[in-house]
Amino acid sequence: MIGAAWNLMLGFAWIVLTGDFSGRNLLAGLLFGYLVLALIQPQVPALTGNAQRLPRLIRFVGFFLKELVMANLKVAFDIITPTWYMKPGVIAMPLRATTEFEIALVANLISLTPGTLSLDVSDDRRVLYIHAMFLDDEPALRRSLAELERRALALFH
């Protein structure tokens, strides 16, 4: 988080020094700030791992958008066709997330994806209960949800 704050300050310093307060210039300042922080990362222990977060975030956004489009197409196909292919059910997914923020992030990402909805978290915060619209292949659904959780948690570690 320290790296993000420094990157934001460097980006604002860039737009103040250049005198151009456009969004494009802010983006350039953030990019230059990111490059500077990546270069000084080995000398500043507080910035350890900062340079790897942006590529992970970009890969996660791409992965999530692909999952979002595929889930939307699956739900839309089921709605459009006269035959119902859905087999709804509830599953209990063991969580690797430990903090409240991580659990909330994973639960919200699952709920954002059409066809799945986070219902509840166990009292010990180790199991997330999920309603799935298509439970015909439960192992594949579990693998998909576990991959989503793994990639989401990788953003912070």
Side-chain angles (χ1 to χ4, degrees):
M1 207 60 177
I2 292 172
W6 274 103
N7 194 10
L8 194 58
M9 287 193 310
L10 288 171
F12 282 127
W14 174 264
I15 63 171
V16 168
L17 290 173
T18 59
D20 181 9
F21 294 94
S22 67
R24 179 180 283 170
N25 197 36
L26 175 61
L27 189 62
L30 291 173
L31 178 66
F32 290 140
Y34 176 79
L35 292 174
V36 166
L37 292 174
L39 289 174
I40 67 168
Q41 177 180 325
Q43 287 81 28
V44 182
L47 295 176
T48 302
N50 184 59
Q52 291 78 22
R53 286 193 179 108
L54 183 62
R56 271 187 281 186
L57 178 64
I58 292 170
R59 283 193 305 270
F60 178 76
V61 167
F63 165 78
F64 187 70
L65 287 176
K66 179 188 74 93
E67 291 292 317
L68 195 61
V69 168
M70 296 303 292
N72 273 298
L73 290 174
K74 190 173 186 177
V75 171
F77 179 78
D78 196 46
I79 291 170
I80 291 172
T81 57
T83 307
W84 287 72
Y85 295 103
M86 70 175 186
K87 292 183 178 147
V90 176
I91 62 170
M93 182 181 97
L95 286 171
R96 290 179 40 217
T98 55
T99 67
E100 294 288 325
F101 176 77
E102 290 173 343
I103 293 170
L105 177 69
V106 170
N108 284 316
L109 287 171
I110 289 171
S111 291
L112 281 172
T113 309
T116 55
L117 178 67
S118 300
L119 298 174
D120 196 13
V121 179
S122 65
D123 291 335
D124 63 356
R125 304 280 192 239
R126 293 181 184 216
V127 177
L128 178 64
Y129 297 99
I130 302 164
H131 178 273
M133 189 172 163
F134 301 99
L135 202 58
D136 50 343
D137 189 3
E138 188 176 337
L141 177 66
R142 286 183 181 278
R143 283 191 303 274
S144 173
L145 295 173
E147 179 66 12
L148 176 68
E149 180 186 25
R150 185 191 68 76
R151 287 180 183 238
L153 293 179
L155 294 173
F156 304 104
H157 299 287

